[in-house]
Amino acid sequence: MSYIIGPNVVRYSCTCGLLKPISFLYFCRYCTQLRCSFCVCHEVDSNFCGKCSENIPSSEARVKKNRCGNCYMCPSCEQELSPRIASTKAPAEGEEKVSTKKMYYLFCQFCRWSSRDVGIPDQSSVTGGWPDRENIHANRLQELLDLYKAIVLAQKQQQEKDKKQRGKYISYTDRTGVTAAALRKRIGLPADLTHPLLKSRPKEPEPMIAQTEVEKLPDDIFTKPINLMDITTIEQRLLQPESQPTTVDKLFPVHKQLSIKRTLRCKTCEHNVSKPEYNPSSVKFKIQLFAYYHIPEIRIVTVEPLRAGRPCELILKFTNPTQHQTTISFFELNLDEQEDIVENKLTEVVENVEQLSLQEKQPMSLTSQPSSSLTLSSRSPSIIIKPRKIMEYMNCNIEIPESTFVLPPRDDAAEYDDSGETHNIHDDPKLVKWRKSNKAFIKLNITPDESLPLNAEVVCGFIMQHVYTNTITGQLEKKEPQKYDHKVKVFLTLGQTVGSE
Amino acid sequence: MMRNSIKILPGALVCEECKLRGDITIGSGTIIHPGATIIAEAGPIIIGDNCLIEEQVKIMHKLPFDHKEKEKTTPVLIIGSYNVFEVDCTVESPKIGNNNVFESKCFVGNKVTVSNGCTIGAGCKITEEQILKENIVFYGAKCMMREGLDRPVLQTLQMETLTKMLPNYHHIKKPNMKL
């Protein structure tokens, strides 16, 4: 797939102003807006281990420091380690019969590291009992951790106390000039009272002392040839931050880090745009509102050699991914105009948040009934995403065709239909070159700017308007799917200009 | 012009379709898959016992350009026993010991002498002039090197299956030598 969508030549503009290929975009059906990974809310759904496919509750994951208890990573190459059987022949005591005993050791299939390399004894069970090494600084870390926890607690209590005290007593000490200490003396209490909460503070650990004298380097440090195979790489050291081994004989297996499944939520309407299935071994989704399934996909088929100031022909392929027929029309994209819109919208945001959410939807609805837009905005938006200016230049003019064309719905069975297709679609022959099932090949005339130098990257853009059929059920008294005109700004990177013939 | 002279010892399993050029001796127990290519350009190749040479493997015996004129005697490429050449690896090494594994799509240049028990990881490209020490492992995209504890495990089970399976589906070259 990446070889088709990988080269970033056709980019769609997200509502937030970022340009991304269609495969990186989401489409919120409730706001009928494009969303990219920067304008959705990322939530951790579940933690799981990628090797043993086991779900681990988030509380347990926190205790285990986001690592799997049973699976290990190779300390040498960060791949997964797998247990291997080594049968050892151990003569049972008192008997002549030689019994084979199954022992297990960890082995990396990739770099052939094994737990025997560093002298970890073989284990008798598959899953475990692999010794975890003690961190030499564990005590010190625990001491510090306890201290800071206690400080946090003390501060919280202090804050609560302050809240309670405020307004309860009116202090006259500042007016009469009698200090708190003097007052205490008068009523017969010891003058300086340490704070009761400060007393409960645990004893502070001994501070570390910086050493002025450092151990001398061994004499042969510059003369002894080093064996690079004995020394660990930076990556290997950072994989074990608590010990940071410098030589390979101190590399010990590392617990595998857990992976997460994410739910993506539209920040504006709080609906999910992507929700994976809970089961870790499943790669399917419960909700997947990817733009790829809702917005017509555009691919560049051919482009004539681009010459500055000369018109040339561009053929694009449009594919309708939805089950509904759509009509596509083109509009000119003017980036300067868009700047004004952005500014206008921003002022509106300040003026009235509620109003804006209505206004945003109104120009989109084809049947611009006020009721439909009201139902859509029944959920009040939590965050208004500020539209941003699209940071892209265009140096190529597109002749915007006046006529529109129709894309039939996607039909999976059509791929296997050999009979000649009969379309009752009347196309503008100047615009539509050829069509097949839900795809159409469109010819556009483009002219790169006159002033472009040789080998300059040519970028052109237009607004594609397509009819989006919203099929959300459960809308108030709305049985029929609603149709919207949805506009998407599309940018095409066409290649470099070449010299004249 | 090279003359083909293929000597196959009894017990070896050499498929008819594999490409063998020049003077090649194949030891007993060695399995050569139909898509393999072995070219003895600079001199004869002697393959030891129980080697496994898989599909698309290219074993070439050619000398580096600067070596060509110096030596007067024809050099012989001796490949030891129990070597595994995995799918689509290219080996031009002038000398190969025993128990080595050349993983898929690796490349070993003609200046690299391979000793015993070495593993050249998948996709690793080794061209610099060197003699590999015993039990060296190359792995990863950066061709990281590490010293293994012992030799890679033998593929006896795999070889046994192949000796049973291959004759069922391929024409096998008959051994033409006696032990």
Side-chain angles (χ1 to χ4, degrees), chain B residues 158-179:
Chain B
Q158 163 86 346
M159 304 261 295
E160 269 174 33
T161 320
L162 282 172
T163 37
K164 279 178 208 152
M165 296 288 287
L166 273 180
N168 294 344
Y169 301 99
H170 292 281
H171 297 289
I172 303 295
K173 282 190 183 175
K174 284 199 182 80
N176 51 11
M177 291 284 284
K178 272 178 195 160
L179 275 176

mmCIF file with all atom_site columns, all heavy atoms in Angstrom, chain B residues 158-179:
data_model
loop_
_atom_site.group_PDB
_atom_site.id
_atom_site.type_symbol
_atom_site.label_atom_id
_atom_site.label_alt_id
_atom_site.label_comp_id
_atom_site.label_asym_id
_atom_site.label_entity_id
_atom_site.label_seq_id
_atom_site.pdbx_PDB_ins_code
_atom_site.Cartn_x
_atom_site.Cartn_y
_atom_site.Cartn_z
_atom_site.occupancy
_atom_site.B_iso_or_equiv
_atom_site.pdbx_formal_charge
_atom_site.auth_seq_id
_atom_site.auth_comp_id
_atom_site.auth_asym_id
_atom_site.auth_atom_id
_atom_site.pdbx_PDB_model_num
ATOM 1   N N   . GLN B 1 158 ? 15.738 -30.283 9.220   1.00 0.00 ? 158 GLN B N   1
ATOM 2   C CA  . GLN B 1 158 ? 15.364 -29.671 7.946   1.00 0.00 ? 158 GLN B CA  1
ATOM 3   C C   . GLN B 1 158 ? 15.989 -30.454 6.783   1.00 0.00 ? 158 GLN B C   1
ATOM 4   O O   . GLN B 1 158 ? 15.330 -30.741 5.785   1.00 0.00 ? 158 GLN B O   1
ATOM 5   C CB  . GLN B 1 158 ? 15.851 -28.218 7.966   1.00 0.00 ? 158 GLN B CB  1
ATOM 6   C CG  . GLN B 1 158 ? 15.919 -27.538 6.626   1.00 0.00 ? 158 GLN B CG  1
ATOM 7   C CD  . GLN B 1 158 ? 14.591 -26.927 6.255   1.00 0.00 ? 158 GLN B CD  1
ATOM 8   O OE1 . GLN B 1 158 ? 13.578 -27.228 6.855   1.00 0.00 ? 158 GLN B OE1 1
ATOM 9   N NE2 . GLN B 1 158 ? 14.605 -26.101 5.245   1.00 0.00 ? 158 GLN B NE2 1
ATOM 10  N N   . MET B 1 159 ? 17.246 -30.821 6.949   1.00 0.00 ? 159 MET B N   1
ATOM 11  C CA  . MET B 1 159 ? 17.946 -31.551 5.886   1.00 0.00 ? 159 MET B CA  1
ATOM 12  C C   . MET B 1 159 ? 17.307 -32.913 5.660   1.00 0.00 ? 159 MET B C   1
ATOM 13  O O   . MET B 1 159 ? 17.168 -33.367 4.526   1.00 0.00 ? 159 MET B O   1
ATOM 14  C CB  . MET B 1 159 ? 19.417 -31.731 6.259   1.00 0.00 ? 159 MET B CB  1
ATOM 15  C CG  . MET B 1 159 ? 20.141 -30.439 6.551   1.00 0.00 ? 159 MET B CG  1
ATOM 16  S SD  . MET B 1 159 ? 21.130 -29.790 5.233   1.00 0.00 ? 159 MET B SD  1
ATOM 17  C CE  . MET B 1 159 ? 22.383 -30.968 4.999   1.00 0.00 ? 159 MET B CE  1
ATOM 18  N N   . GLU B 1 160 ? 16.936 -33.557 6.748   1.00 0.00 ? 160 GLU B N   1
ATOM 19  C CA  . GLU B 1 160 ? 16.312 -34.883 6.630   1.00 0.00 ? 160 GLU B CA  1
ATOM 20  C C   . GLU B 1 160 ? 15.011 -34.799 5.840   1.00 0.00 ? 160 GLU B C   1
ATOM 21  O O   . GLU B 1 160 ? 14.754 -35.618 4.958   1.00 0.00 ? 160 GLU B O   1
ATOM 22  C CB  . GLU B 1 160 ? 16.014 -35.451 8.023   1.00 0.00 ? 160 GLU B CB  1
ATOM 23  C CG  . GLU B 1 160 ? 17.141 -36.291 8.574   1.00 0.00 ? 160 GLU B CG  1
ATOM 24  C CD  . GLU B 1 160 ? 16.879 -36.701 9.998   1.00 0.00 ? 160 GLU B CD  1
ATOM 25  O OE1 . GLU B 1 160 ? 15.701 -36.903 10.364  1.00 0.00 ? 160 GLU B OE1 1
ATOM 26  O OE2 . GLU B 1 160 ? 17.855 -36.791 10.766  1.00 0.00 ? 160 GLU B OE2 1
ATOM 27  N N   . THR B 1 161 ? 14.208 -33.779 6.155   1.00 0.00 ? 161 THR B N   1
ATOM 28  C CA  . THR B 1 161 ? 12.943 -33.604 5.446   1.00 0.00 ? 161 THR B CA  1
ATOM 29  C C   . THR B 1 161 ? 13.200 -33.352 3.970   1.00 0.00 ? 161 THR B C   1
ATOM 30  O O   . THR B 1 161 ? 12.520 -33.903 3.112   1.00 0.00 ? 161 THR B O   1
ATOM 31  C CB  . THR B 1 161 ? 12.180 -32.410 6.050   1.00 0.00 ? 161 THR B CB  1
ATOM 32  O OG1 . THR B 1 161 ? 12.335 -32.439 7.445   1.00 0.00 ? 161 THR B OG1 1
ATOM 33  C CG2 . THR B 1 161 ? 10.723 -32.442 5.683   1.00 0.00 ? 161 THR B CG2 1
ATOM 34  N N   . LEU B 1 162 ? 14.196 -32.518 3.704   1.00 0.00 ? 162 LEU B N   1
ATOM 35  C CA  . LEU B 1 162 ? 14.480 -32.175 2.308   1.00 0.00 ? 162 LEU B CA  1
ATOM 36  C C   . LEU B 1 162 ? 14.946 -33.393 1.518   1.00 0.00 ? 162 LEU B C   1
ATOM 37  O O   . LEU B 1 162 ? 14.543 -33.586 0.368   1.00 0.00 ? 162 LEU B O   1
ATOM 38  C CB  . LEU B 1 162 ? 15.537 -31.076 2.247   1.00 0.00 ? 162 LEU B CB  1
ATOM 39  C CG  . LEU B 1 162 ? 15.047 -29.665 2.540   1.00 0.00 ? 162 LEU B CG  1
ATOM 40  C CD1 . LEU B 1 162 ? 16.206 -28.710 2.629   1.00 0.00 ? 162 LEU B CD1 1
ATOM 41  C CD2 . LEU B 1 162 ? 14.064 -29.183 1.477   1.00 0.00 ? 162 LEU B CD2 1
ATOM 42  N N   . THR B 1 163 ? 15.763 -34.227 2.127   1.00 0.00 ? 163 THR B N   1
ATOM 43  C CA  . THR B 1 163 ? 16.235 -35.410 1.397   1.00 0.00 ? 163 THR B CA  1
ATOM 44  C C   . THR B 1 163 ? 15.084 -36.338 1.037   1.00 0.00 ? 163 THR B C   1
ATOM 45  O O   . THR B 1 163 ? 15.136 -37.063 0.055   1.00 0.00 ? 163 THR B O   1
ATOM 46  C CB  . THR B 1 163 ? 17.286 -36.196 2.209   1.00 0.00 ? 163 THR B CB  1
ATOM 47  O OG1 . THR B 1 163 ? 16.911 -36.156 3.575   1.00 0.00 ? 163 THR B OG1 1
ATOM 48  C CG2 . THR B 1 163 ? 18.664 -35.630 2.041   1.00 0.00 ? 163 THR B CG2 1
ATOM 49  N N   . LYS B 1 164 ? 14.008 -36.278 1.867   1.00 0.00 ? 164 LYS B N   1
ATOM 50  C CA  . LYS B 1 164 ? 12.837 -37.090 1.543   1.00 0.00 ? 164 LYS B CA  1
ATOM 51  C C   . LYS B 1 164 ? 11.965 -36.398 0.502   1.00 0.00 ? 164 LYS B C   1
ATOM 52  O O   . LYS B 1 164 ? 11.427 -37.039 -0.399  1.00 0.00 ? 164 LYS B O   1
ATOM 53  C CB  . LYS B 1 164 ? 12.011 -37.317 2.808   1.00 0.00 ? 164 LYS B CB  1
ATOM 54  C CG  . LYS B 1 164 ? 12.555 -38.435 3.677   1.00 0.00 ? 164 LYS B CG  1
ATOM 55  C CD  . LYS B 1 164 ? 11.709 -38.561 4.936   1.00 0.00 ? 164 LYS B CD  1
ATOM 56  C CE  . LYS B 1 164 ? 12.532 -39.109 6.080   1.00 0.00 ? 164 LYS B CE  1
ATOM 57  N NZ  . LYS B 1 164 ? 12.018 -38.649 7.372   1.00 0.00 ? 164 LYS B NZ  1
ATOM 58  N N   . MET B 1 165 ? 11.819 -35.094 0.629   1.00 0.00 ? 165 MET B N   1
ATOM 59  C CA  . MET B 1 165 ? 10.848 -34.367 -0.190  1.00 0.00 ? 165 MET B CA  1
ATOM 60  C C   . MET B 1 165 ? 11.358 -34.050 -1.594  1.00 0.00 ? 165 MET B C   1
ATOM 61  O O   . MET B 1 165 ? 10.634 -34.206 -2.568  1.00 0.00 ? 165 MET B O   1
ATOM 62  C CB  . MET B 1 165 ? 10.465 -33.046 0.498   1.00 0.00 ? 165 MET B CB  1
ATOM 63  C CG  . MET B 1 165 ? 9.766  -33.228 1.811   1.00 0.00 ? 165 MET B CG  1
ATOM 64  S SD  . MET B 1 165 ? 8.098  -33.841 1.591   1.00 0.00 ? 165 MET B SD  1
ATOM 65  C CE  . MET B 1 165 ? 7.307  -32.390 0.964   1.00 0.00 ? 165 MET B CE  1
ATOM 66  N N   . LEU B 1 166 ? 12.587 -33.559 -1.667  1.00 0.00 ? 166 LEU B N   1
ATOM 67  C CA  . LEU B 1 166 ? 13.068 -33.056 -2.959  1.00 0.00 ? 166 LEU B CA  1
ATOM 68  C C   . LEU B 1 166 ? 13.009 -34.082 -4.094  1.00 0.00 ? 166 LEU B C   1
ATOM 69  O O   . LEU B 1 166 ? 12.547 -33.750 -5.188  1.00 0.00 ? 166 LEU B O   1
ATOM 70  C CB  . LEU B 1 166 ? 14.493 -32.506 -2.808  1.00 0.00 ? 166 LEU B CB  1
ATOM 71  C CG  . LEU B 1 166 ? 14.626 -31.047 -2.382  1.00 0.00 ? 166 LEU B CG  1
ATOM 72  C CD1 . LEU B 1 166 ? 16.085 -30.671 -2.276  1.00 0.00 ? 166 LEU B CD1 1
ATOM 73  C CD2 . LEU B 1 166 ? 13.929 -30.115 -3.355  1.00 0.00 ? 166 LEU B CD2 1
ATOM 74  N N   . PRO B 1 167 ? 13.414 -35.338 -3.876  1.00 0.00 ? 167 PRO B N   1
ATOM 75  C CA  . PRO B 1 167 ? 13.375 -36.292 -4.997  1.00 0.00 ? 167 PRO B CA  1
ATOM 76  C C   . PRO B 1 167 ? 11.965 -36.552 -5.512  1.00 0.00 ? 167 PRO B C   1
ATOM 77  O O   . PRO B 1 167 ? 11.796 -36.997 -6.648  1.00 0.00 ? 167 PRO B O   1
ATOM 78  C CB  . PRO B 1 167 ? 13.977 -37.563 -4.400  1.00 0.00 ? 167 PRO B CB  1
ATOM 79  C CG  . PRO B 1 167 ? 14.736 -37.114 -3.221  1.00 0.00 ? 167 PRO B CG  1
ATOM 80  C CD  . PRO B 1 167 ? 14.006 -35.941 -2.681  1.00 0.00 ? 167 PRO B CD  1
ATOM 81  N N   . ASN B 1 168 ? 10.938 -36.256 -4.702  1.00 0.00 ? 168 ASN B N   1
ATOM 82  C CA  . ASN B 1 168 ? 9.556  -36.481 -5.136  1.00 0.00 ? 168 ASN B CA  1
ATOM 83  C C   . ASN B 1 168 ? 9.132  -35.485 -6.201  1.00 0.00 ? 168 ASN B C   1
ATOM 84  O O   . ASN B 1 168 ? 8.231  -35.754 -6.982  1.00 0.00 ? 168 ASN B O   1
ATOM 85  C CB  . ASN B 1 168 ? 8.602  -36.371 -3.949  1.00 0.00 ? 168 ASN B CB  1
ATOM 86  C CG  . ASN B 1 168 ? 8.832  -37.468 -2.942  1.00 0.00 ? 168 ASN B CG  1
ATOM 87  O OD1 . ASN B 1 168 ? 9.495  -38.463 -3.260  1.00 0.00 ? 168 ASN B OD1 1
ATOM 88  N ND2 . ASN B 1 168 ? 8.310  -37.296 -1.756  1.00 0.00 ? 168 ASN B ND2 1
ATOM 89  N N   . TYR B 1 169 ? 9.723  -34.332 -6.208  1.00 0.00 ? 169 TYR B N   1
ATOM 90  C CA  . TYR B 1 169 ? 9.240  -33.272 -7.090  1.00 0.00 ? 169 TYR B CA  1
ATOM 91  C C   . TYR B 1 169 ? 10.283 -32.772 -8.080  1.00 0.00 ? 169 TYR B C   1
ATOM 92  O O   . TYR B 1 169 ? 9.991  -31.929 -8.896  1.00 0.00 ? 169 TYR B O   1
ATOM 93  C CB  . TYR B 1 169 ? 8.748  -32.097 -6.233  1.00 0.00 ? 169 TYR B CB  1
ATOM 94  C CG  . TYR B 1 169 ? 7.649  -32.491 -5.285  1.00 0.00 ? 169 TYR B CG  1
ATOM 95  C CD1 . TYR B 1 169 ? 7.914  -32.767 -3.949  1.00 0.00 ? 169 TYR B CD1 1
ATOM 96  C CD2 . TYR B 1 169 ? 6.338  -32.627 -5.746  1.00 0.00 ? 169 TYR B CD2 1
ATOM 97  C CE1 . TYR B 1 169 ? 6.912  -33.151 -3.091  1.00 0.00 ? 169 TYR B CE1 1
ATOM 98  C CE2 . TYR B 1 169 ? 5.330  -33.000 -4.887  1.00 0.00 ? 169 TYR B CE2 1
ATOM 99  C CZ  . TYR B 1 169 ? 5.617  -33.260 -3.562  1.00 0.00 ? 169 TYR B CZ  1
ATOM 100 O OH  . TYR B 1 169 ? 4.617  -33.652 -2.722  1.00 0.00 ? 169 TYR B OH  1
ATOM 101 N N   . HIS B 1 170 ? 11.513 -33.236 -7.975  1.00 0.00 ? 170 HIS B N   1
ATOM 102 C CA  . HIS B 1 170 ? 12.562 -32.719 -8.849  1.00 0.00 ? 170 HIS B CA  1
ATOM 103 C C   . HIS B 1 170 ? 13.402 -33.859 -9.413  1.00 0.00 ? 170 HIS B C   1
ATOM 104 O O   . HIS B 1 170 ? 13.532 -34.905 -8.798  1.00 0.00 ? 170 HIS B O   1
ATOM 105 C CB  . HIS B 1 170 ? 13.472 -31.751 -8.090  1.00 0.00 ? 170 HIS B CB  1
ATOM 106 C CG  . HIS B 1 170 ? 12.781 -30.493 -7.704  1.00 0.00 ? 170 HIS B CG  1
ATOM 107 N ND1 . HIS B 1 170 ? 12.571 -29.464 -8.578  1.00 0.00 ? 170 HIS B ND1 1
ATOM 108 C CD2 . HIS B 1 170 ? 12.249 -30.108 -6.528  1.00 0.00 ? 170 HIS B CD2 1
ATOM 109 C CE1 . HIS B 1 170 ? 11.931 -28.496 -7.957  1.00 0.00 ? 170 HIS B CE1 1
ATOM 110 N NE2 . HIS B 1 170 ? 11.712 -28.862 -6.711  1.00 0.00 ? 170 HIS B NE2 1
ATOM 111 N N   . HIS B 1 171 ? 13.987 -33.566 -10.585 1.00 0.00 ? 171 HIS B N   1
ATOM 112 C CA  . HIS B 1 171 ? 14.959 -34.509 -11.127 1.00 0.00 ? 171 HIS B CA  1
ATOM 113 C C   . HIS B 1 171 ? 16.275 -34.289 -10.410 1.00 0.00 ? 171 HIS B C   1
ATOM 114 O O   . HIS B 1 171 ? 16.689 -33.161 -10.198 1.00 0.00 ? 171 HIS B O   1
ATOM 115 C CB  . HIS B 1 171 ? 15.141 -34.279 -12.622 1.00 0.00 ? 171 HIS B CB  1
ATOM 116 C CG  . HIS B 1 171 ? 13.878 -34.541 -13.386 1.00 0.00 ? 171 HIS B CG  1
ATOM 117 N ND1 . HIS B 1 171 ? 13.388 -35.812 -13.555 1.00 0.00 ? 171 HIS B ND1 1
ATOM 118 C CD2 . HIS B 1 171 ? 13.010 -33.707 -13.994 1.00 0.00 ? 171 HIS B CD2 1
ATOM 119 C CE1 . HIS B 1 171 ? 12.247 -35.734 -14.242 1.00 0.00 ? 171 HIS B CE1 1
ATOM 120 N NE2 . HIS B 1 171 ? 11.995 -34.461 -14.513 1.00 0.00 ? 171 HIS B NE2 1
ATOM 121 N N   . ILE B 1 172 ? 16.895 -35.369 -10.049 1.00 0.00 ? 172 ILE B N   1
ATOM 122 C CA  . ILE B 1 172 ? 18.124 -35.288 -9.261  1.00 0.00 ? 172 ILE B CA  1
ATOM 123 C C   . ILE B 1 172 ? 19.296 -35.749 -10.129 1.00 0.00 ? 172 ILE B C   1
ATOM 124 O O   . ILE B 1 172 ? 19.195 -36.743 -10.850 1.00 0.00 ? 172 ILE B O   1
ATOM 125 C CB  . ILE B 1 172 ? 18.006 -36.183 -8.003  1.00 0.00 ? 172 ILE B CB  1
ATOM 126 C CG1 . ILE B 1 172 ? 16.783 -35.782 -7.177  1.00 0.00 ? 172 ILE B CG1 1
ATOM 127 C CG2 . ILE B 1 172 ? 19.269 -36.144 -7.175  1.00 0.00 ? 172 ILE B CG2 1
ATOM 128 C CD1 . ILE B 1 172 ? 16.818 -34.424 -6.569  1.00 0.00 ? 172 ILE B CD1 1
ATOM 129 N N   . LYS B 1 173 ? 20.398 -35.018 -10.033 1.00 0.00 ? 173 LYS B N   1
ATOM 130 C CA  . LYS B 1 173 ? 21.601 -35.440 -10.756 1.00 0.00 ? 173 LYS B CA  1
ATOM 131 C C   . LYS B 1 173 ? 22.194 -36.670 -10.079 1.00 0.00 ? 173 LYS B C   1
ATOM 132 O O   . LYS B 1 173 ? 22.250 -36.727 -8.844  1.00 0.00 ? 173 LYS B O   1
ATOM 133 C CB  . LYS B 1 173 ? 22.624 -34.310 -10.771 1.00 0.00 ? 173 LYS B CB  1
ATOM 134 C CG  . LYS B 1 173 ? 22.302 -33.246 -11.783 1.00 0.00 ? 173 LYS B CG  1
ATOM 135 C CD  . LYS B 1 173 ? 23.449 -32.286 -11.930 1.00 0.00 ? 173 LYS B CD  1
ATOM 136 C CE  . LYS B 1 173 ? 23.037 -31.205 -12.903 1.00 0.00 ? 173 LYS B CE  1
ATOM 137 N NZ  . LYS B 1 173 ? 24.016 -30.156 -13.029 1.00 0.00 ? 173 LYS B NZ  1
ATOM 138 N N   . LYS B 1 174 ? 22.638 -37.608 -10.925 1.00 0.00 ? 174 LYS B N   1
ATOM 139 C CA  . LYS B 1 174 ? 23.159 -38.839 -10.323 1.00 0.00 ? 174 LYS B CA  1
ATOM 140 C C   . LYS B 1 174 ? 24.594 -38.619 -9.860  1.00 0.00 ? 174 LYS B C   1
ATOM 141 O O   . LYS B 1 174 ? 25.369 -37.913 -10.515 1.00 0.00 ? 174 LYS B O   1
ATOM 142 C CB  . LYS B 1 174 ? 23.124 -39.957 -11.358 1.00 0.00 ? 174 LYS B CB  1
ATOM 143 C CG  . LYS B 1 174 ? 21.732 -40.494 -11.556 1.00 0.00 ? 174 LYS B CG  1
ATOM 144 C CD  . LYS B 1 174 ? 21.772 -41.858 -12.214 1.00 0.00 ? 174 LYS B CD  1
ATOM 145 C CE  . LYS B 1 174 ? 20.358 -42.359 -12.443 1.00 0.00 ? 174 LYS B CE  1
ATOM 146 N NZ  . LYS B 1 174 ? 19.741 -41.763 -13.649 1.00 0.00 ? 174 LYS B NZ  1
ATOM 147 N N   . PRO B 1 175 ? 24.945 -39.215 -8.736  1.00 0.00 ? 175 PRO B N   1
ATOM 148 C CA  . PRO B 1 175 ? 26.341 -39.123 -8.288  1.00 0.00 ? 175 PRO B CA  1
ATOM 149 C C   . PRO B 1 175 ? 27.253 -39.800 -9.307  1.00 0.00 ? 175 PRO B C   1
ATOM 150 O O   . PRO B 1 175 ? 26.937 -40.867 -9.825  1.00 0.00 ? 175 PRO B O   1
ATOM 151 C CB  . PRO B 1 175 ? 26.345 -39.871 -6.956  1.00 0.00 ? 175 PRO B CB  1
ATOM 152 C CG  . PRO B 1 175 ? 24.924 -39.953 -6.545  1.00 0.00 ? 175 PRO B CG  1
ATOM 153 C CD  . PRO B 1 175 ? 24.110 -39.947 -7.795  1.00 0.00 ? 175 PRO B CD  1
ATOM 154 N N   . ASN B 1 176 ? 28.396 -39.171 -9.608  1.00 0.00 ? 176 ASN B N   1
ATOM 155 C CA  . ASN B 1 176 ? 29.296 -39.742 -10.601 1.00 0.00 ? 176 ASN B CA  1
ATOM 156 C C   . ASN B 1 176 ? 30.670 -40.032 -10.023 1.00 0.00 ? 176 ASN B C   1
ATOM 157 O O   . ASN B 1 176 ? 31.644 -40.181 -10.733 1.00 0.00 ? 176 ASN B O   1
ATOM 158 C CB  . ASN B 1 176 ? 29.415 -38.812 -11.804 1.00 0.00 ? 176 ASN B CB  1
ATOM 159 C CG  . ASN B 1 176 ? 29.734 -37.397 -11.389 1.00 0.00 ? 176 ASN B CG  1
ATOM 160 O OD1 . ASN B 1 176 ? 30.070 -37.161 -10.227 1.00 0.00 ? 176 ASN B OD1 1
ATOM 161 N ND2 . ASN B 1 176 ? 29.642 -36.478 -12.303 1.00 0.00 ? 176 ASN B ND2 1
ATOM 162 N N   . MET B 1 177 ? 30.765 -40.054 -8.714  1.00 0.00 ? 177 MET B N   1
ATOM 163 C CA  . MET B 1 177 ? 32.061 -40.333 -8.093  1.00 0.00 ? 177 MET B CA  1
ATOM 164 C C   . MET B 1 177 ? 31.865 -41.422 -7.064  1.00 0.00 ? 177 MET B C   1
ATOM 165 O O   . MET B 1 177 ? 30.763 -41.670 -6.592  1.00 0.00 ? 177 MET B O   1
ATOM 166 C CB  . MET B 1 177 ? 32.591 -39.086 -7.382  1.00 0.00 ? 177 MET B CB  1
ATOM 167 C CG  . MET B 1 177 ? 32.992 -37.968 -8.290  1.00 0.00 ? 177 MET B CG  1
ATOM 168 S SD  . MET B 1 177 ? 34.549 -38.289 -9.085  1.00 0.00 ? 177 MET B SD  1
ATOM 169 C CE  . MET B 1 177 ? 35.661 -37.963 -7.747  1.00 0.00 ? 177 MET B CE  1
ATOM 170 N N   . LYS B 1 178 ? 32.975 -42.077 -6.751  1.00 0.00 ? 178 LYS B N   1
ATOM 171 C CA  . LYS B 1 178 ? 32.896 -43.055 -5.672  1.00 0.00 ? 178 LYS B CA  1
ATOM 172 C C   . LYS B 1 178 ? 33.703 -42.543 -4.497  1.00 0.00 ? 178 LYS B C   1
ATOM 173 O O   . LYS B 1 178 ? 34.671 -41.814 -4.664  1.00 0.00 ? 178 LYS B O   1
ATOM 174 C CB  . LYS B 1 178 ? 33.439 -44.403 -6.155  1.00 0.00 ? 178 LYS B CB  1
ATOM 175 C CG  . LYS B 1 178 ? 32.343 -45.223 -6.811  1.00 0.00 ? 178 LYS B CG  1
ATOM 176 C CD  . LYS B 1 178 ? 32.910 -46.522 -7.318  1.00 0.00 ? 178 LYS B CD  1
ATOM 177 C CE  . LYS B 1 178 ? 31.934 -47.165 -8.291  1.00 0.00 ? 178 LYS B CE  1
ATOM 178 N NZ  . LYS B 1 178 ? 32.649 -48.137 -9.139  1.00 0.00 ? 178 LYS B NZ  1
ATOM 179 N N   . LEU B 1 179 ? 33.278 -42.962 -3.354  1.00 0.00 ? 179 LEU B N   1
ATOM 180 C CA  . LEU B 1 179 ? 33.968 -42.508 -2.150  1.00 0.00 ? 179 LEU B CA  1
ATOM 181 C C   . LEU B 1 179 ? 35.352 -43.157 -2.054  1.00 0.00 ? 179 LEU B C   1
ATOM 182 O O   . LEU B 1 179 ? 35.482 -44.331 -2.383  1.00 0.00 ? 179 LEU B O   1
ATOM 183 C CB  . LEU B 1 179 ? 33.146 -42.856 -0.910  1.00 0.00 ? 179 LEU B CB  1
ATOM 184 C CG  . LEU B 1 179 ? 32.057 -41.858 -0.530  1.00 0.00 ? 179 LEU B CG  1
ATOM 185 C CD1 . LEU B 1 179 ? 31.278 -42.398 0.660   1.00 0.00 ? 179 LEU B CD1 1
ATOM 186 C CD2 . LEU B 1 179 ? 32.663 -40.519 -0.167  1.00 0.00 ? 179 LEU B CD2 1
#
